[in-house]
């Protein structure tokens, strides 16, 4: 299975820019997607196919990358962005998720 | 308005068979796939399987021998059955609309399942 590696946690101050990385153990073309999950809630799709903003998602969120290295950027970070962010690849079967990056605000 | 809602028992005994139902509204099961994703407490997400618009299914090989996904299109319901439950099957089970690009745009609220004797 394709393993997606994410940093466990990040801490940033409101108003700053944050980049969350996801590295795949093998190429996934551009089929990398990003989700936000707040405690007690279901995941929410933010970015699909590496760089496309999902409907209703603020333009503060953006995605980039291809192949094996991908980044989710939030600029500027707001207090409401406190959550865990998961990457997911759907190029290789089975589709797999990263372990998540917990974003905390200082 | 697209909605998905999972239902099922919250507590199971080891070796039992889990049966979950996902009731959808706002879209047709004959035009869209629905997948099941599990999340152990405090951990990441794991795709378990999907039933596609045409009725075909795909399963994660890790659970394929124990898992069955079916549907009743007339009731807009998707069913998950998994046998030989073990404590490591404990977690929150989500159903989600599974798009052909692999994304999950709409999710249910999830149902917590605990496997314990």
């Amino acid at each position: 299975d394709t393993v997606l590696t994410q940093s466990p946690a990040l801490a940033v101050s409101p108003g700053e820019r944050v980049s969350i990385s996801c590295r795949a153990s093998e190429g996934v073309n551009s089929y990398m997607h990003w989700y936000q999950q707040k405690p007690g809630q279901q995941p929410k799709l933010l970015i699909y196919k590496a760089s496309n903003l999902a409907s209703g998602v603020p333009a503060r969120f953006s995605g980039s990358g291809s192949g094996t290295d991908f980044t989710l950027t939030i600029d500027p970070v707001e207090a409401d962005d406190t959550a865990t962010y998961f990457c997911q690849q759907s190029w290789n079967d089975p589709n797999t998720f990263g372990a998540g990056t917990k974003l905390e605000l200082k | 308005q697209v909605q998905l809602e999972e239902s099922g028992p919250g507590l199971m005994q080891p070796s039992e068979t889990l049966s979950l139902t996902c009731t959808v509204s706002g879209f047709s099961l004959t035009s869209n796939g629905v997948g099941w994703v599990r999340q152990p407490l405090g951990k990441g997400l794991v795709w378990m399987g999907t039933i596609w618009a045409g009725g075909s299914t795909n399963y994660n090989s890790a659970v394929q021998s124990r898992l069955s996904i079916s549907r009743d299109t007339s009731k807009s319901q998707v069913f998950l059955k998994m046998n030989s439950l073990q404590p490591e099957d404990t977690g929150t089970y989500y159903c989600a609309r599974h798009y052909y690009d692999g994304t999950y745009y709409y999710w249910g609220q999830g149902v917590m399942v605990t496997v314990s004797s």
Side-chain angles (χ1 to χ4, degrees):
Chain A
D1 296 1
T2 304
V3 176
L4 302 181
T5 301
Q6 299 183 246
S7 299
L10 288 171
V12 297
S13 298
E16 291 186 343
R17 170 189 170 112
V18 66
S19 293
I20 299 171
S21 65
C22 178
R23 174 164 288 178
S25 61
E26 57 186 322
V28 300
N29 201 313
S30 62
Y31 284 76
M32 184 66 78
H33 324 294
W34 292 92
Y35 299 83
Q36 176 194 65
Q37 187 178 34
K38 297 181 179 181
Q41 296 186 16
Q42 69 271 56
K44 173 187 176 182
L45 180 66
L46 299 175
I47 300 289
Y48 64 96
K49 291 184 71 176
S51 60
N52 297 279
L53 198 65
S55 177
V57 175
R60 303 184 291 105
F61 294 87
S62 63
S64 62
S66 66
T68 60
D69 290 293
F70 297 84
T71 301
L72 171 70
T73 299
I74 311 173
D75 185 16
V77 172
E78 296 183 358
D80 187 53
D81 298 333
T82 298
T84 299
Y85 294 84
F86 294 95
C87 54
Q88 177 225 354
Q89 68 80 24
S90 61
W91 181 249
N92 301 309
D93 184 46
N95 71 94
T96 52
F97 293 83
T101 296
K102 187 173 184 179
L103 182 66
E104 297 179 339
L105 268 64
K106 298 177 184 176
Chain B
Q1 182 182 1
V2 173
Q3 290 186 317
L4 302 93
E5 182 174 5
E6 306 88 348
S7 58
L11 181 62
M12 302 291 295
Q13 303 263 5
S15 80
E16 288 187 329
T17 296
L18 175 66
S19 292
L20 298 177
T21 299
C22 174
T23 303
V24 311
S25 59
F27 68 96
S28 171
L29 294 179
T30 58
S31 301
N32 298 272
V34 171
W36 289 92
V37 177
R38 178 170 70 187
Q39 185 171 35
L41 191 63
K43 296 189 177 180
L45 302 157
V46 179
W47 170 72
M48 301 183 70
T50 294
I51 187 163
W52 298 103
S56 63
T57 53
N58 287 114
Y59 301 115
N60 190 321
S61 60
V63 294
Q64 184 169 8
S65 62
R66 302 191 290 134
L67 182 65
S68 175
I69 297 174
S70 59
R71 69 184 184 182
D72 183 335
T73 57
S74 67
K75 295 183 178 179
S76 294
Q77 292 181 324
V78 175
F79 309 105
L80 176 149
K81 290 190 187 301
M82 189 163 68
N83 59 32
S84 305
L85 286 179
Q86 296 301 317
E88 50 266 34
D89 293 315
T90 294
T92 298
Y93 287 72
Y94 295 98
C95 61
R97 184 167 159 182
H98 196 173
Y99 286 74
Y100 285 104
D101 62 4
T103 56
Y104 305 93
Y105 191 88
Y106 297 98
W107 296 69
Q109 291 286 338
V111 58
M112 178 66 191
V113 176
T114 301
V115 183
S116 175
S117 54

